[in-house]
Amino acid sequence: MKIGLETESMHLWFQNGKMDIFSYIDFAKNLGCDGVIINIIKDFGLDEEWGCLGSDDEKHLLKIKAKLDEYKMYCEIDAKGFDLNKFKKISKVCKILNANIIRSYVPLTDNTKKVKNASDGAFDDSKITAKFNKEEFLSAANEIKVLIPLLEENNLKLAIENHEYQTSIELLELLDLINHPNVGFLYDFGNSMMAYEDPIVACKNMAKHTFSTHCKDHIVFIEDNIPYVCGVPLGDGSLDIKTCIKILKDQGLERINIEQCFPYCATFKREKGTGGIKELGKGAFKIKDPLFKGLKAMQYYYPQEISNEHLEKLLNFQKQGCEKSVEYLKSII
């Protein structure tokens, strides 16, 4: 199986001007990766429209393509939502970069929230909490169906991600409404936890339709009586990564893409029992200790809001975590 690395794995480096897409590809190649996923979603310090990609200027994209060709690396794109006009732009990017898989997800948002800090959800309030409505979620099928002629014309696959709010059963219901071979899943190893669903259950349900992955590891800890899911380097957490990879491999998946969400914390988004897990404490949901003194859970992702000292510390941890994650995955596959 081939190994890819998603740009989110080094989000602090991108957001704080320590890395761009070119140095990132060099970094992934030096780790021995076979490809990259480029996240094009806006966030702190990133391009408003193209995120870690930086731009859709043709000259810029051709330079990226030249580097990918030099290293013989594949490329996938991570997007958000299903806006047709944006997907027309993305399809042009994919054509130049020779990318044939686009990950996206059904976004949730609460426009009534007025927050300034990134850690409070200024860039994406659903990272904190939003209200899930199954009917609204399934209605996204209509928006996705509009994209199908574009996907067919450009030989693109759309991989819908389990993105913290949805159980695998709800995703299968959505996929059934769309019913097209160019539309499947991106299986995220850890995101089902936020919906109280065991990652292996989600994997078994989604594997048959999975085009791509975000391979990650998680722990759970409690801070101020609030439970959090927290990203850690592969092998440092509670997920049964090996079993999930076997399930995916048995279904014919040929790439495992790492998205090391470290440092990162997420709140649980659904009620206990939603995905079948009624209590915390066992398996993937065993309780461990918080990671960093001086930082609250929701500050892990944006430590620059607290101090430059915390930022520098976590920049180093993130790089080391990436190195460890790739080595761990290599040891498995």
Side-chain angles (χ1 to χ4, degrees), residues 181-243:
N182 287 50
V183 183
F185 293 138
L186 180 143
Y187 169 66
D188 186 294
F189 282 52
N191 278 355
S192 65
M193 292 175 67
M194 292 73 141
Y196 286 97
E197 182 175 35
D198 187 276
I200 293 177
V201 171
C203 187
K204 287 178 178 177
N205 289 339
M206 296 174 65
K208 182 180 177 181
H209 309 283
T210 291
F211 298 152
S212 186
T213 64
H214 285 168
C215 182
K216 61 179 61 164
D217 208 347
H218 279 165
I219 62 170
V220 173
F221 67 75
I222 297 174
E223 177 185 271
D224 299 330
N225 295 318
I226 299 173
Y228 293 94
V229 176
C230 178
V232 294
L234 298 188
D236 285 358
S238 304
L239 272 63
D240 188 349
I241 297 168
K242 198 168 188 176
T243 295

Side-chain angles (χ1 to χ4, degrees), residues 160-179:
I160 304 170
E161 181 182 8
N162 50 324
H163 203 261
E164 302 191 8
Y165 286 84
Q166 309 90 10
T167 66
S168 59
I169 298 301
E170 290 161 344
L171 282 159
L172 286 167
E173 289 181 51
L174 177 65
L175 198 65
D176 188 54
L177 291 172
I178 301 162
N179 191 29

